[in-house]
Amino acid sequence: MKDKDVEDLRLWFCMFLCWKRIRRAKVMENTQDYQDYRAEILGIVRSNASPGIMRNKLEDYHENDLADVFPDLSVAERRKLCRILNLDMLADIFEYIDEKQAAEYLDDMDVRKAAAILSRMETDAVVNVLRMIPKEKRALLLELMDDDARKDMAVIAAFDDEEIGSRMTTNYIEIRENLTVKQAMTELVSQAAKNDNISTIFMVTEDHTFYGAMDLKDLITARQDTRLEDLIVTSYPYVYGHELIDDCIEKLKDYSENSIPILNNDNKLLGVITSQSIVDLVDDEMGEDYAMFAGLTAEEDLKEPLKESMKKRLPWLLVLLALGTVVSSVVGVFEQVVSQLTIIMCFQSLILDMAGNVGTQSLAVTIRVLMDESLTGKQKVELVFKEMKIALSNGALLGIISFLILGLYIALFKGKTWAFAYAVSGCIGLSLMVAMVISGAVGTLIPLFFKKINVDPAVASGPLITTINDLVAVITYYGLCGILLIGVLHLAG
């Protein structure tokens, strides 16, 4: 192997990396805020400058900033912008646009140009966009796209939305493991023109079985006598395409790699999932969990139609209405207790609210623990008892405070005797403590149960837990009042 050949390849790659850094610096040199970027870009698009001047100015901005102005442009202005910019830049811009909006914008342009843009986009992004396009036009776009892009999309589209393979990309560098350093550099240069995810190079065997990976830096700096085998990390992390996203997302988060390979069941390399896709997955997961906590069936956005927002909220509200009816019915069971001690109605909301708050706190802690760890049976029991001990300690403290303050309030402001006042406040304090302990257990046990039956624990949303704890609190409060105040102390009034 000639040193000059290797050095030429290294020089080419160093120049390539320097160009990327210079372009990034040029993009970032303007430190004005986000709103100023929008105003500047809109000003350029709406100016009367020549296409060449306009393109040169727009190339100074990041693709994400250009994507942000698309909703502010008219159809004519978007068509003007799409005529000015080259296909590669348009493809980069469309990857930052929401899939639904991207589908609308592509529908406004010539179908051949739309197909050319899709052919240059990341394959996972293309699959998401095509799902938003009507079936007839989708078939036409697929027919007009180049063969390689169509083949890559077919691989990704074969996976279900819940599987990690649906989020992979075929934009990566793949090299045989038995090449020399010079041959590897040559192969890298030939693939880099089409695939720009070059920081990590993936190695495969002759039959395309995944073998390992290496850093670009290690290959560029390798000396003539270095064995390529010495540069390969054979213990590199990987996941299988048919693994569920929820099952492998924690494993992906544990690694700080730029991209992780996706394999089929025969250990053949299919694609990679990038760190940005992992961030998006975590963000989606957190968004879904937040929606569930809020009592929604899915996330909403600001521009969502009324009908769609109602569809996301109504199912949970119907469930909560049914549970609320049960709670109200239970209150009716204790009608005799309420009729003899009407004053206890004044403090019902106190018991219900505190029980709901404790249950929601325990739920949040349990969901967080389940997201980060795989618990053993012993650890699950310890978690339940820990939450109950915390609820007992807080409940005892708040119960004592309620006993002292509410007794004083009933005696001074309700005109009751001190004995009556503190008998009622004592029952309230005891009910508060018992309801909080039970609510802590419920808020922990429900998500653990859902996890056990392979249902997302986030389904145990805040409103659901709160409503269940309302039921617990009502039974506890009125039950204790009936037993202690009427049954034991024979109080009424």
Side-chain angles (χ1 to χ4, degrees):
M1 176 171 46
K2 296 181 180 179
D3 289 343
K4 185 177 183 304
D5 293 334
V6 177
E7 289 303 319
D8 287 344
L9 289 169
R10 287 173 179 161
L11 178 61
W12 185 94
F13 243 92
C14 288
M15 291 175 64
F16 173 77
L17 294 176
C18 287
W19 173 81
K20 290 195 76 173
R21 290 177 181 174
I22 291 171
R23 187 174 184 275
R24 172 65 65 179
K26 188 177 181 182
V27 168
M28 299 302 293
E29 66 182 1
N30 189 335
T31 58
Q32 297 178 13
D33 62 18
Y34 171 78
Q35 293 297 330
D36 284 342
Y37 281 136
R38 291 172 65 91
E40 289 177 5
I41 295 170
L42 288 171
I44 294 171
V45 174
R46 291 167 178 169
S47 70
N48 292 322
S50 66
I53 295 297
M54 201 178 298
R55 183 188 306 113
N56 290 337
K57 289 182 178 180
L58 292 174
E59 286 176 348
D60 289 340
Y61 296 91
H62 192 277
E63 290 83 0
N64 186 44
D65 295 321
L66 294 170
D68 285 334
V69 305
F70 264 65
D72 298 327
L73 298 174
S74 65
V75 174
E77 289 170 340
R78 281 199 297 270
R79 287 174 177 169
K80 173 184 176 182
L81 183 60
C82 290
R83 283 194 297 267
I84 291 171
L85 301 178
N86 61 49
L87 291 173
D88 289 330
M89 193 168 183
L90 285 172
D92 291 338
I93 292 171
F94 269 80
E95 287 181 4
Y96 287 98
I97 299 176
D98 175 77
E99 293 92 348
K100 188 174 183 180
Q101 287 185 317
E104 294 175 0
Y105 300 152
L106 290 169
D107 191 48
D108 290 335
M109 65 177 66
D110 176 73
V111 67
R112 294 186 181 277
K113 185 160 191 175
I117 293 173
L118 289 171
S119 296
R120 287 164 172 78
M121 290 172 61
E122 295 279 356
T123 44
D124 54 338
V126 176
V127 171
N128 292 332
V129 172
L130 287 176
R131 289 188 181 124
M132 302 295 173
I133 295 176
K135 188 175 182 180
E136 299 76 16
K137 188 160 187 179
R138 186 193 315 160
L140 178 58
L141 287 169
L142 284 169
E143 184 180 340
L144 293 173
M145 291 173 64
D146 64 54
D147 293 337
D148 290 339
R150 189 163 55 246
K151 180 181 177 181
D152 290 341
M153 278 190 301
V155 173
I156 296 176
F159 294 97
D160 294 334
D161 290 345
E162 296 79 16
E163 295 175 334
I164 195 69
S166 65
R167 301 300 186 97
M168 71 179 181
T169 177
T170 55
N171 183 354
Y172 64 96
I173 303 295
E174 172 190 307
I175 295 177
R176 288 266 302 280
E177 102 287 354
N178 58 355
L179 301 182
T180 64
V181 171
K182 177 185 176 182
Q183 290 171 329
M185 284 294 297
T186 302
E187 186 64 26
L188 174 59
V189 170
S190 67
Q191 293 186 41
K194 182 178 179 182
N195 302 306
D196 56 6
N197 288 335
I198 61 173
S199 58
T200 303
I201 303 164
F202 297 97
M203 321 301 292
V204 295
T205 61
E206 186 174 354
D207 64 351
H208 206 66
T209 299
F210 176 65
Y211 186 79
M214 71 167 66
D215 286 337
L216 170 65
K217 177 186 67 175
D218 294 336
L219 181 60
I220 293 177
T221 59
R223 300 181 64 84
Q224 176 182 352
D225 56 350
T226 302
R227 295 172 60 242
L228 190 65
E229 181 71 25
D230 296 336
L231 306 178
I232 302 173
V233 179
T234 55
S235 59
Y236 200 85
Y238 60 88
V239 292
Y240 289 97
H242 287 290
E243 288 187 65
L244 296 178
I245 293 174
D246 289 344
D247 293 340
C248 59
I249 193 169
E250 291 302 321
K251 181 165 64 175
L252 295 176
K253 284 165 55 181
D254 290 339
Y255 297 102
S256 58
E257 307 296 345
N258 290 326
S259 52
I260 293 179
I262 307 291
L263 313 183
N264 66 11
N265 292 334
D266 296 324
N267 298 304
K268 303 293 192 294
L269 181 60
L270 295 177
V272 301
I273 182 166
T274 63
S275 56
Q276 180 58 49
S277 294
I278 295 172
V279 170
D280 291 340
L281 285 175
V282 174
D283 182 62
D284 290 345
E285 188 74 12
M286 291 177 65
E288 290 173 5
D289 288 350
Y290 178 80
M292 291 296 186
F293 273 119
L296 307 174
T297 57
E299 286 187 89
E300 294 184 22
D301 59 50
L302 188 61
K303 299 179 180 179
E304 188 171 66
L306 173 63
K307 185 178 179 181
E308 292 299 317
S309 294
M310 288 180 61
K311 284 170 61 178
K312 292 176 181 178
R313 301 189 188 198
L314 194 56
W316 268 116
L317 292 177
L318 291 172
V319 172
L320 297 175
L321 176 62
L323 289 174
T325 304
V326 174
V327 174
S328 300
S329 301
V330 171
V331 174
V333 173
F334 295 98
E335 184 177 351
Q336 185 178 0
V337 176
V338 175
S339 64
Q340 295 182 57
L341 276 172
T342 54
I343 193 171
I344 64 175
M345 285 290 294
C346 301
F347 307 102
Q348 173 184 307
S349 61
L350 171 67
I351 307 296
L352 267 61
D353 288 347
M354 292 306 300
N357 293 337
V358 170
T360 302
Q361 287 178 341
S362 296
L363 172 64
V365 170
T366 306
I367 292 293
R368 183 59 184 161
V369 171
L370 292 176
M371 286 176 62
D372 289 342
E373 303 176 28
S374 297
L375 301 181
T376 63
K378 181 181 178 181
Q379 289 174 322
K380 291 176 182 178
V381 173
E382 290 175 349
L383 177 62
V384 174
F385 278 104
K386 177 187 175 183
E387 288 301 313
M388 291 180 68
K389 283 192 293 184
I390 294 172
L392 176 61
S393 301
N394 289 333
L397 180 60
L398 294 174
I400 292 171
I401 294 174
S402 300
F403 167 70
L404 296 174
I405 295 177
L406 294 180
L408 192 63
Y409 169 78
I410 295 170
L412 296 180
F413 294 95
K414 296 297 183 179
K416 304 295 183 179
T417 64
W418 290 99
F420 180 92
Y422 276 101
V424 173
S425 67
C427 188
I428 293 171
L430 180 61
S431 300
L432 184 63
M433 182 182 69
V434 174
M436 287 176 65
V437 172
I438 297 175
S439 296
V442 170
T444 309
L445 288 170
I446 286 182
L448 287 175
F449 170 73
F450 279 139
K451 184 71 173 179
K452 180 69 175 178
I453 62 175
N454 296 320
V455 174
D456 189 348
V459 172
S461 66
L464 177 60
I465 290 291
T466 301
T467 307
I468 292 175
N469 284 334
D470 284 348
L471 183 62
V472 170
V474 164
I475 295 173
T476 301
Y477 180 44
Y478 288 117
L480 286 176
C481 286
I483 294 171
L484 298 178
L485 298 181
I486 297 178
V488 176
L489 299 178
H490 304 291
L491 298 179

